[in-house]
Amino acid sequence: MMTDPLADMLTRIRNGLRARKSSVMTPASRLRGSVLDVLEREGYIRGYAAAESDTGKPAFSIELKYHEGQPVIAELHRVSKPGRRVYSGIKDLPKHYGGLGISILSTPRGVLSDNEARKQNVGGEVLCRVF
C-alpha cells in the first residue's frame, strides 16, 4: 500500500533523470495525470502516454526531457505531504528562483501552475515545487 502516490511519481521522475533514462513508468491516477499535464505545459517533460504495467494495471509512460545532455528538471520537491498539508492564498504564493521555477497547486479550478493560478486569481494546496 502506498501512502503518498504523488511523491512516488516525483521520486520515479527524479531517479529516472539521475539515471539518464529516456522514460519512466508510474501507475496511473487522475491527480498524477493532472500534474503531468502541468509539467508538459510548462516544458519540464516531453510528454506522457497511457500505457499498461506488467501486472495489467493502467500506468503512465513519462518521456523525460534533457537539454544539452543535462536534465531540464534540476529540483523536484513535494511540498504538501499527507501528514502536513500546505495551503496558500494567491498573495502568499512565493516565486521560486526569481520566477524561473514553478509551484504546482491543486485549486478549485483544477491542478494549475502558480502562474496560471495567479492569472485566475485562485489559491489552493501547494502540491510540489519544480525548478
Side-chain angles (χ1 to χ4, degrees):
M1 185 174 105
M2 202 178 317
T3 59
D4 193 0
L6 185 59
D8 175 65
M9 181 185 76
L10 299 178
T11 300
R12 288 176 192 236
I13 292 172
R14 264 193 314 270
N15 290 342
L17 289 168
R18 287 186 183 148
R20 303 275 192 236
K21 300 237 181 214
S22 61
S23 67
V24 293
M25 295 283 287
T26 185
S29 73
R30 278 189 295 174
L31 178 63
R32 289 178 182 190
S34 299
V35 170
L36 290 172
D37 283 335
V38 172
L39 288 174
E40 186 176 13
R41 275 197 311 263
E42 296 291 329
Y44 288 103
I45 60 172
R46 286 190 187 277
Y48 71 98
E52 195 171 291
S53 68
D54 298 336
T55 59
K57 294 183 180 179
F60 289 129
S61 175
I62 306 165
E63 292 182 49
L64 303 176
K65 191 173 182 179
Y66 298 91
H67 179 72
E68 296 178 356
Q70 297 298 320
V72 171
I73 298 174
E75 289 183 22
L76 191 58
H77 294 286
R78 179 83 156 109
V79 175
S80 188
K81 300 176 182 176
R84 182 175 179 264
R85 300 291 184 187
V86 177
Y87 297 94
S88 178
I90 199 62
K91 293 181 181 179
D92 301 329
L93 194 61
K95 289 192 176 195
H96 301 291
Y97 297 102
L100 295 176
I102 65 165
S103 293
I104 298 178
L105 286 85
S106 176
T107 69
R109 295 187 183 157
V111 177
L112 304 171
S113 71
D114 58 350
N115 296 330
E116 296 167 337
R118 283 188 183 93
K119 287 179 187 170
Q120 295 186 19
N121 196 27
V122 63
E125 181 183 355
V126 182
L127 297 175
C128 61
R129 191 174 68 221
V130 185
F131 172 70

